[in-house]
């Protein structure tokens, strides 16, 4: 359906493929620009909130024990925070993301530099917006490779593919949210479940033959 059967998929833990080559200059902050971008799924197009125009958002690649900074610029319409799901942020909750718990939201036009402090985490975790339903489209993977010079406790796989599960509403996500709050009922169900931002082939008007040709990782995000 969306990737070749030759690829060996392994869930939860990420694998080291290009030992020593994948890494970036850790001293440079990541730049996350929250902005709307048009996306078409199930034969309809709408603007969604993205990071840097990407859906799912960019992948962060770090090593266990690293510290990085992500500069988050909010060019969208809503207050937003970004949460680093699975990063323990030991003794540093101040940029962990839950709005009004550890930080105020980043207001439209604003910027906040969020520090991520990796400690013993290793494998594949994820980041997502942590305010309202901005989280429905604002998310991505974090690959935490072992410390340089060490390896994961299993043999090196042939390939790596990230698998990011999500949902897609054809309606504007805030309209669904506002109706849900106003009625006190349950939110309308999504029109499709997605893998790496793509609905499966069996949904009406799904783009068929989607293939993912990349490195294997697996995460299973959930809304809360
Ligand atoms: C956005 O955040 C600011 C600062 O925390 C707050 O005063 C304002 O009420 C928020 N707006 C909404 C719509 O929640
Ligand atoms: C969530 O979004 C709704 C609809 O846009 C807004 O009225 C509300 O103030 C937001 N709440 C927070 C905490 O940002
Ligand atoms: C939610 O679903 C109901 C019933 O199908 C529909 O009438 C309504 O327009 C939907 N609301 C939104 C915001 O999608």
């Amino acid at each position: 359906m969306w990737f070749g059967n030759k690829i060996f998929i392994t869930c939860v833990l990420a694998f080291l493929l290009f030992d020593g080559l994948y890494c970036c200059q850790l001293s440079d902050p990541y730049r996350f620009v929250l902005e709307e971008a048009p996306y078409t799924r199930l034969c309809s197009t709408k603007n969604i909130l993205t990071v840097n125009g990407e859906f799912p958002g960019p992948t962060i690649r770090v090593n266990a024990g690293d510290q990085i900074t992500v500069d988050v610029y909010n060019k969208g319409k809503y207050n937003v925070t970004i949460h680093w799901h699975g990063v323990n942020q030991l003794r540093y909750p101040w940029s962990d993301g839950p709005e009004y718990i550890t930080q105020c939201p980043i207001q439209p036009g604003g910027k906040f530099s969020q520090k991520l402090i990796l400690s013993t985490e290793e494998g594949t975790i994820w980041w997502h917006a942590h305010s309202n339903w901005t989280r429905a489209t604002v998310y991505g993977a974090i690959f935490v490779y072992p410390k340089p010079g060490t390896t994961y406790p299993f043999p090196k796989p042939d390939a790596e593919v990230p698998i990011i599960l999500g949902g897609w509403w054809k309606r504007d996500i805030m309209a669904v949210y506002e109706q849900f709050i106003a009625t006190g009922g349950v939110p309308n169900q999504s029109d499709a479940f997605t893998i790496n931002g793509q609905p499966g082939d069996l949904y009406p008007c799904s783009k068929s033959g989607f293939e993912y040709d990349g490195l294997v990782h697996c995460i299973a995000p959930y809304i809360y």
Side-chain angles (χ1 to χ4, degrees):
M1 182 178 73
W2 33 268
F3 53 79
N5 58 9
K6 285 191 213 134
I7 295 178
F8 174 60
I9 310 163
T10 302
C11 289
V12 182
L13 287 178
F15 286 102
L16 196 55
L17 182 62
F18 299 121
D19 193 359
L21 289 179
Y22 57 84
C23 197
C24 39
Q25 294 165 330
L26 291 174
S27 52
D28 284 349
Y30 278 78
R31 183 181 163 86
F32 272 28
V33 179
L34 289 156
E35 58 192 1
E36 298 215 341
Y39 271 79
T40 303
R41 295 287 183 272
L42 308 177
C43 287
S44 69
T45 302
K46 64 172 186 172
N47 275 354
I48 61 170
L49 189 64
T50 68
V51 167
N52 303 343
E54 297 173 36
F55 172 68
T59 299
I60 291 177
R61 293 175 170 81
V62 287
N63 288 90
D66 281 348
Q67 285 190 21
I68 62 162
T69 300
V70 182
D71 291 336
V72 183
Y73 298 81
N74 189 352
K75 296 193 175 166
K77 295 188 281 195
Y78 303 106
N79 282 354
V80 177
T81 57
I82 306 283
H83 173 57
W84 320 103
H85 199 119
V87 179
N88 289 327
Q89 295 284 72
L90 294 180
R91 293 181 293 283
Y92 197 82
W94 319 118
S95 57
D96 187 44
E99 64 179 0
Y100 301 118
I101 297 174
T102 57
Q103 66 178 80
C104 285
I106 309 165
Q107 297 181 58
K111 176 205 165 189
F112 183 50
S113 293
Q114 297 194 232
K115 187 155 84 173
L116 276 70
I117 301 184
L118 281 300
S119 44
T120 55
E121 304 86 355
E122 211 173 73
T124 308
I125 48 181
W126 65 303
W127 57 265
H128 60 88
H130 206 295
S131 28
N132 263 344
W133 274 24
T134 53
R135 71 187 82 214
T137 57
V138 178
Y139 56 78
I142 306 175
F143 298 168
V144 190
Y145 295 97
K147 286 191 176 179
T150 65
T151 59
Y152 289 121
F154 40 75
K156 196 168 163 178
D158 295 331
E160 302 182 338
V161 173
I163 296 177
I164 306 178
L165 308 179
W168 182 267
W169 283 257
K170 288 199 213 177
R171 288 288 304 271
D172 178 75
I173 201 69
M174 287 303 171
V176 177
Y177 178 83
E178 276 160 18
Q179 188 187 42
F180 152 59
I181 295 295
T183 62
V186 291
N188 279 8
Q189 283 187 358
S190 62
D191 295 292
F193 293 118
T194 58
I195 299 173
N196 295 338
Q198 296 288 348
D201 288 353
L202 301 181
Y203 288 107
C205 218
S206 184
K207 187 178 128 197
S208 64
F210 173 71
E211 292 201 2
Y212 195 88
D213 181 16
L215 301 178
V216 180
H217 282 257
C218 181
I219 64 177
Y222 44 90
I223 285 285
Y224 286 93

